[in-house]
Amino acid sequence: MTTLTAQQIADARLTGWVNLGDGLRTRVRTGDFATGLALVEAIGAVAEEVQHHPDLDLRYAFLDVRLVSHDAGGVTARDVALARTVTDLVARMGAALDGAAVQRFDLALDTPERAGVQPFWRALLGYEDTPGQDDEVRDPAGGLPAVWFQESGAGEPRQRWHLDVWVDPSAVAGRVEAATAAGGTLVDDTAAPSFWVLADPEGNRSCLCTWQSRDAGADGPAD
């Protein structure tokens, strides 16, 4: 199936779901384990029926759901359709979607020698190459953050590692305000609303990222 652009996903107006660059995500506030388990079983039955399976992470009081078409390399119409079905199942069980509570982060290594260091980190972490991306390695089980390698200058001193923290666009203003109130600095917002560069009191930089102003295949900043 054809993957949807970020704007097409936004135009679907899926209440309670967020696009964090690697798929559609939501958190279901179940309140207890039994409700969450029942919801997993209900989602599983639908997934088997349509032969499209989400990633589910069940905890005591909530269930995290991620939808992405792995065979297509992104979000497709079937993910949107399944998201609507999950929303209906959640409503029937008296639970609630809380997409604003969901986030993800990747680790980025700034290096002038990507080809030289990438094999080491792939081997050390027990990761694998990410299909379609020659600058990233990922956890085969999908449970740990991806690591990607950003070309940078070789001048010293320079920063090696930074986080790319993906949030819903509605969460950015609050995150920036909280981070600066905690002693941080907004370093650069020229790439907004795609990403914002912030630094802690020691100057260590990280990025707040959203789906906005990105091509269909974009999945990381170029800060």
Side-chain angles (χ1 to χ4, degrees):
M1 298 184 70
T2 303
T3 57
L4 303 177
T5 66
Q7 188 57 56
Q8 287 174 323
I9 296 171
D11 290 342
R13 301 187 182 280
L14 296 169
T15 302
W17 293 82
V18 297
N19 174 11
L20 296 185
D22 68 337
L24 293 171
R25 293 179 181 249
T26 193
R27 175 163 293 171
V28 185
R29 298 291 185 182
T30 57
D32 59 73
F33 191 80
T35 301
L37 185 58
L39 183 57
V40 167
E41 292 176 345
I43 294 173
V46 171
E48 282 294 294
E49 182 179 336
V50 299
Q51 284 300 294
H52 185 47
H53 304 91
D55 294 330
L56 304 175
D57 182 2
L58 176 61
R59 305 301 174 96
Y60 177 77
F62 65 87
L63 171 68
D64 283 350
V65 184
R66 173 177 173 255
L67 296 170
V68 65
S69 296
H70 297 284
D71 55 349
V75 174
T76 66
R78 62 185 170 184
D79 296 301
V80 172
L82 188 52
R84 297 192 194 281
T85 300
V86 170
T87 299
D88 290 342
L89 291 173
V90 169
R92 290 176 200 170
M93 292 190 176
L97 300 181
D98 185 8
V102 181
Q103 64 178 347
R104 86 170 232 249
F105 73 88
D106 300 330
L107 296 169
L109 177 60
D110 301 301
T111 172
E113 298 292 340
R114 176 178 64 81
V117 301
Q118 185 168 334
F120 168 82
W121 290 104
R122 182 175 58 240
L124 179 70
L125 295 168
Y127 275 22
E128 64 184 12
D129 290 328
T130 300
Q133 295 181 241
D134 63 2
D135 62 348
E136 182 181 278
V137 295
R138 67 177 184 180
D139 174 15
L144 299 175
V147 177
W148 72 284
F149 304 86
Q150 177 170 277
E151 296 291 343
S152 69
E156 298 290 350
R158 62 186 178 86
Q159 178 167 300
R160 264 52 173 195
W161 288 96
H162 73 265
L163 298 181
D164 289 335
V165 182
W166 288 77
V167 298
D168 187 66
S170 63
V172 171
R175 290 293 182 95
V176 171
E177 181 179 357
T180 53
T185 304
L186 177 59
V187 176
D188 188 1
D189 62 359
T190 57
S194 179
F195 64 91
W196 292 251
V197 183
L198 295 99
D200 70 10
E202 291 188 342
N204 301 301
R205 298 186 179 190
S206 287
C207 299
L208 276 177
C209 307
T210 78
W211 63 263
Q212 294 178 308
S213 298
R214 294 176 182 271
D215 295 330
D219 194 36
D223 56 349

